[in-house]
Amino acid sequence: MNQLFIGVWNHTDNYGNVSDHGGIFFDKNDNIMFNLQILNSLDKEYRNSQIHVFPNELEKLGFQDNFYDDKDTRRETLKEYLKNKIFIFKINNDDENNLFAYDINTHVKNSDFSADDTFEEVPILSDSRNNSKEITEKLLVGETILSHTVSMISDKKDSISSFMISEDSTSDLVLYEDVTAVSTDGIESIQYQKPDKNNPITVRKINGDPKMDNYYYDNGDSNEIRHNIMFIPTRYLRDEENQLEKFASFTTSLVGKTSESVEKDINKTQDTDLLFLDQFNSVIRSSKYHLLLDEDDIVNLHTSIKSNLLTILAGLSGTGKSRIIRAYAEALGIDADSDQSHSRFKFISVKPSWQDDSDLLGFADTMNNNYRPSDSGLVDTLIKAREDSNQIYLIVLDEMNLARVEYYFSQFLSVLERDSNERYLTLYNDYLAARLYNSTIYPPKLLIPENVRFIGTMNIDESTFELSDKLLDRANIIKLKTLPFYEREDMKVENLKQKQEEKSWRKFPVKLLNYSAHGIKLDREQLKFLWDLHKAINQVLPNVGISWRNIKSIEEFLNKLPSNYYDKLGKALDWQVAERVLTKLRGTDTMLSSLISFDEKNNKLQGKVVDVLDKYSDLSDFATCRETLLTKVREMVIDGYAR
């Protein structure tokens, strides 16, 4: 964990007692150590945790422990060292029951320090890529801000401060108030909600008042950055009696620009999405792949991969689903044809015999005291991805519904919806770790890192299994359009190898997944539409509808659309409803007839779902939804059942 924390010596011992020497103790080798108390105001996860500082870290801080003194004297010596210090540090959370601090820096408590203080972790985005003018422009258009500092703050949006700092041309610090983080990769990029007249951003200049000196900088861990974080007392920012105005004087308010201004500003910069999509199109058209794809499908696929951990391509066998994914990997700069054991592109062919997650992950061989990873190679790829966090890793499950997905993929379905730092797979029980020779390589729990994306392909025929609502709720299922075959003759075929040798060819790191040229949230009318659609479906199928998870996923998808689709939100909403909601409509004619049917006399779709689409036609023409519903009606007529 790279997030920075601020804290002081914790006087509480293991029994909950507070004393002069509480929290100072000895390890099994009689080395002295102590516990820290976290003072980050927004971080709830570790607020009441005991964070150990091991003897080796104390030594790095310059503390001299005299091993020959008696224990009471050694405790007293450490107490004198700790009592006037405040610490900035990172936490190792590999073992939730044994949290410890590292990369610790010490500061002397300032004169204004209070024992009741908590501190807000405010990022300082003033490195070589940013200054207050550039930051202001990016905030106004909702553009993603790239900065090394992002790795030092929480990756949980509700734990990210609503304040942010930059630096103006005279090196004065500028404080931005009421900034709301909408996304972050936790590594190098963050995006804030675009301000508007109802949610403006206030800009302030931090005062150099010596009476208010109770804030702390971290020391920075890059030569390019003077400071990464300012830890500011919560009372300076949020208490009454005009404390904030004393700390930072009001300068101006920011409100968002019009969509025309946004588009103009975005075009001034290099749009990462558009650069990638241009490269993806070149790969698709090359003689190596020679694929014919609809432009909307290309954007839909890319946006889905960015915004969701699991994307599924569905359709007829032989339509090129696997080749499309290989082309996508190559466009990212991943060599899809390299040795699979070393590649960031892992292609796994699902076997019909798979029954549980050991077929995909592996198992603990207690007879030989070894963990045996599955020959799918998935576990090794996840371990490598965590070590290589700046790069994108694609894991493909080819023909994923040849076996029951809910069997072999069960753990993944449970963890994919969790926060990024909680997506742990269980490889085996913790108590076996001491017995297994390779437990240091294959730990009991394995994190699915944020730089990994899963992509599945599936055919829809009699040889495959249907997907459960649990899976449908967690995936974007994209059915690619089939274009006229003869149109391929009009394609301009490019030499991919020659293209890759040009200076314009790029390799895209993990920040592409978090890139957004605009901050979008579902508005009231869109939410009313989704609510009416939920009611229409749920009244007929009580266990089917639109969940909060769906709402969150749809909003994230819209937020990650490329900038040239900024004025096509209705089309994107149509895709998401078809892929995330209408996929759950399945069953017999008796079950679905009130929701969808076909009026032969007037040659048109009808039913409660169609009525909702018609009612909100101002939002979209819902062409994809209508095509999806028509397909389901045909299935009911021919097969008696809609899949």
Side-chain angles (χ1 to χ4, degrees):
M1 176 183 286
N2 287 322
Q3 181 188 348
L4 288 175
F5 294 85
I6 191 167
V8 292
W9 163 33
N10 191 337
H11 291 254
T12 307
D13 63 21
N14 292 334
Y15 302 101
N17 300 317
V18 177
S19 66
D20 283 349
H21 295 117
I24 295 177
F25 54 100
F26 296 88
D27 66 13
K28 61 184 179 180
N29 296 316
D30 275 345
N31 293 309
I32 198 165
M33 53 190 293
F34 73 100
N35 288 331
L36 283 167
Q37 175 186 350
I38 288 176
L39 300 179
N40 293 47
S41 62
L42 298 178
D43 195 282
K44 300 173 184 175
E45 186 174 4
Y46 302 114
R47 187 175 298 166
N48 298 317
S49 301
Q50 297 275 30
I51 311 299
H52 303 320
V53 177
F54 290 136
N56 62 320
E57 292 292 340
L58 257 176
E59 189 176 336
K60 290 178 187 176
L61 295 176
F63 174 74
Q64 298 294 322
D65 176 35
N66 189 343
F67 203 80
Y68 297 102
D69 286 340
D70 61 77
K71 287 188 175 180
D72 287 341
T73 301
R74 293 167 67 191
R75 284 193 186 96
E76 186 65 25
T77 303
L78 182 54
K79 169 192 167 184
E80 290 301 313
Y81 174 81
L82 297 174
K83 67 180 184 181
N84 292 320
K85 287 188 172 57
I86 197 163
F87 301 86
I88 295 175
F89 53 93
K90 299 174 185 175
I91 293 177
N92 184 308
N93 63 343
D94 290 344
D95 182 353
E96 294 178 2
N97 297 316
N98 188 25
L99 303 172
F100 63 89
Y102 68 102
D103 284 359
I104 307 171
N105 289 305
T106 61
H107 297 260
V108 176
K109 291 176 181 175
N110 288 326
S111 58
D112 193 31
F113 180 82
S114 167
D116 297 324
D117 271 338
T118 59
F119 295 82
E120 198 144 326
E121 181 192 17
V122 181
I124 305 174
L125 306 181
S126 291
D127 52 30
S128 59
R129 289 179 286 193
N130 300 299
N131 57 46
S132 63
K133 182 179 179 182
E134 292 165 344
I135 291 290
T136 297
E137 287 299 313
K138 290 173 182 177
L139 289 173
L140 283 169
V141 299
E143 185 180 336
T144 298
I145 300 170
L146 303 179
S147 175
H148 173 76
T149 303
V150 178
S151 65
M152 302 294 161
I153 64 176
S154 175
D155 59 359
K156 296 178 180 178
K157 288 188 283 189
D158 59 354
S159 295
I160 297 175
S161 175
S162 59
F163 294 87
M164 183 265 290
I165 294 172
S166 187
E167 194 175 80
D168 64 18
S169 57
T170 61
S171 298
D172 288 326
L173 292 177
V174 176
L175 181 72
Y176 294 86
E177 179 188 1
D178 294 325
V179 290
T180 303
V182 294
S183 64
T184 174
D185 61 5
I187 298 171
E188 197 179 47
S189 65
I190 189 167
Q191 181 192 359
Y192 292 102
Q193 181 180 328
K194 187 164 68 71
D196 56 39
K197 62 182 180 180
N198 296 319
N199 300 285
I201 292 174
T202 301
V203 183
R204 298 176 177 273
K205 181 179 177 181
I206 295 179
N207 302 323
D209 186 347
K211 294 179 182 178
M212 303 187 75
D213 63 350
N214 187 20
Y215 50 84
Y216 303 87
Y217 294 112
D218 81 300
N219 292 339
D221 62 354
S222 168
N223 292 330
E224 298 178 6
I225 304 173
R226 189 183 70 183
H227 297 296
N228 293 326
I229 304 293
M230 182 188 283
F231 286 99
I232 306 174
T234 309
R235 56 189 164 93
Y236 282 14
L237 302 174
R238 304 191 183 279
D239 283 4
E240 297 177 358
E241 299 180 5
N242 213 23
Q243 285 284 85
L244 178 56
E245 187 61 34
K246 295 176 185 176
F247 175 66
S249 304
F250 174 82
T251 303
T252 188
S253 291
L254 304 179
V255 293
K257 299 185 179 181
T258 63
S259 58
E260 293 82 8
S261 301
V262 169
E263 192 168 346
K264 190 181 295 182
D265 284 338
I266 288 171
N267 290 334
K268 289 178 184 176
T269 63
Q270 281 194 319
D271 188 307
T272 305
D273 269 332
L274 299 185
L275 289 170
F276 171 76
L277 289 170
D278 182 61
Q279 189 157 295
F280 187 25
N281 272 299
S282 295
V283 175
I284 289 168
R285 292 193 302 266
S286 70
S287 54
K288 180 176 179 179
Y289 292 98
H290 208 194
L291 293 166
L292 184 63
L293 288 179
D294 180 81
E295 181 184 350
D296 285 344
D297 282 346
I298 293 171
V299 172
N300 193 3
L301 172 64
H302 174 56
T303 308
S304 175
I305 291 172
K306 285 174 59 184
S307 61
N308 207 60
L309 282 170
L310 176 61
T311 298
I312 299 174
L313 292 186
L316 296 172
S317 178
T319 51
K321 297 183 290 294
S322 300
R323 284 176 61 76
I324 291 166
I325 298 169
R326 289 183 181 276
Y328 186 86
E330 195 141 5
L332 285 171
I334 301 173
D335 186 357
D337 295 326
S338 67
D339 177 6
Q340 280 283 294
S341 63
H342 297 93
S343 175
R344 293 189 284 119
F345 178 80
K346 173 60 65 176
F347 195 90
I348 301 171
S349 296
V350 173
K351 296 179 175 60
S353 60
W354 285 4
Q355 293 293 315
D356 57 47
D357 55 16
S358 65
D359 293 309
L360 186 59
L361 296 173
F363 65 97
D365 180 356
T366 53
M367 294 288 290
N368 296 291
N369 294 329
N370 234 343
Y371 180 78
R372 299 192 181 278
S374 164
D375 57 10
S376 69
L378 174 59
V379 170
D380 291 297
T381 301
L382 291 175
I383 291 172
K384 187 170 181 287
R386 186 175 186 186
E387 296 169 350
D388 190 19
S389 59
N390 286 325
Q391 300 299 328
I392 299 171
Y393 280 70
L394 298 180
I395 297 172
V396 181
L397 298 170
D398 192 38
E399 298 195 57
M400 67 182 301
N401 61 333
L402 277 179
R404 285 198 179 276
V405 182
E406 294 76 16
Y407 290 176
Y408 71 83
F409 209 59
S410 58
Q411 275 206 70
F412 290 84
L413 296 181
S414 298
V415 304
L416 287 181
E417 63 179 310
R418 297 179 188 170
D419 291 337
S420 58
N421 64 340
E422 296 176 354
R423 297 189 193 118
Y424 280 95
L425 300 170
T426 300
L427 302 186
Y428 54 86
N429 288 330
D430 290 345
Y431 72 85
L432 290 174
R435 291 177 52 187
L436 303 183
Y437 297 128
N438 57 352
S439 61
T440 55
I441 300 173
Y442 302 109
K445 289 184 169 54
L446 183 61
L447 182 73
I448 301 176
E450 191 67 14
N451 57 326
V452 169
R453 290 294 185 271
F454 293 91
I455 308 175
T457 69
M458 55 178 279
N459 298 324
I460 303 174
D461 55 38
E462 67 283 351
S463 68
T464 61
F465 293 96
E466 285 208 2
L467 306 181
S468 69
D469 284 352
K470 185 175 182 179
L471 178 58
L472 295 174
D473 230 21
R474 290 160 171 78
N476 280 325
I477 300 181
I478 300 172
K479 188 174 181 182
L480 300 172
K481 299 181 185 71
T482 302
L483 300 181
F485 306 137
Y486 54 81
E487 288 187 9
R488 196 172 74 166
E489 297 303 311
D490 300 328
M491 284 174 57
K492 180 185 176 183
V493 180
E494 300 186 35
N495 186 317
L496 182 57
K497 187 174 181 181
Q498 181 180 337
K499 192 83 176 174
Q500 290 171 334
E501 291 172 353
E502 295 176 2
K503 288 184 178 179
S504 59
W505 182 265
R506 294 162 58 99
K507 292 189 176 183
F508 291 87
V510 73
K511 62 186 180 183
L512 173 69
L513 298 178
N514 200 57
Y515 179 80
S516 175
H518 42 70
I520 291 175
K521 297 186 73 173
L522 290 168
D523 62 28
R524 185 176 181 83
E525 191 69 8
Q526 291 166 331
L527 289 170
K528 284 175 64 179
F529 157 66
L530 292 170
W531 175 245
D532 285 355
L533 185 59
H534 165 76
K535 287 194 299 181
I537 295 171
N538 192 248
Q539 286 168 2
V540 177
L541 303 173
N543 296 320
V544 181
I546 300 174
S547 65
W548 280 111
R549 184 187 297 112
N550 296 145
I551 297 294
K552 180 180 177 182
S553 299
I554 291 171
E555 194 166 68
E556 184 71 8
F557 181 92
L558 297 179
N559 188 49
K560 294 290 180 68
L561 281 167
S563 58
N564 59 344
Y565 271 66
Y566 187 77
D567 58 350
K568 301 176 184 177
L569 295 183
K571 179 179 284 190
L573 179 64
D574 176 30
W575 299 342
Q576 283 287 283
V577 172
E579 293 162 12
R580 285 197 167 269
V581 181
L582 301 188
T583 48
K584 301 177 188 178
L585 299 186
R586 51 195 176 174
T588 63
D589 178 69
T590 304
M591 294 169 63
L592 300 180
S593 59
S594 64
L595 291 175
I596 49 170
S597 60
F598 193 77
D599 181 355
E600 297 284 354
K601 182 178 179 181
N602 296 304
N603 195 35
K604 67 175 186 177
L605 283 166
Q606 61 183 11
K608 293 182 178 180
V609 171
V610 180
D611 291 343
V612 175
L613 300 183
D614 291 341
K615 177 181 176 182
Y616 290 92
S617 58
D618 288 347
L619 294 179
S620 172
D621 60 10
F622 295 109
T624 304
C625 287
R626 295 176 193 277
E627 182 61 34
T628 300
L629 295 175
L630 186 59
T631 300
K632 290 183 179 294
V633 170
R634 289 171 181 161
E635 287 175 347
M636 286 190 290
V637 171
I638 297 170
D639 303 325
Y641 188 89
R643 294 178 63 115

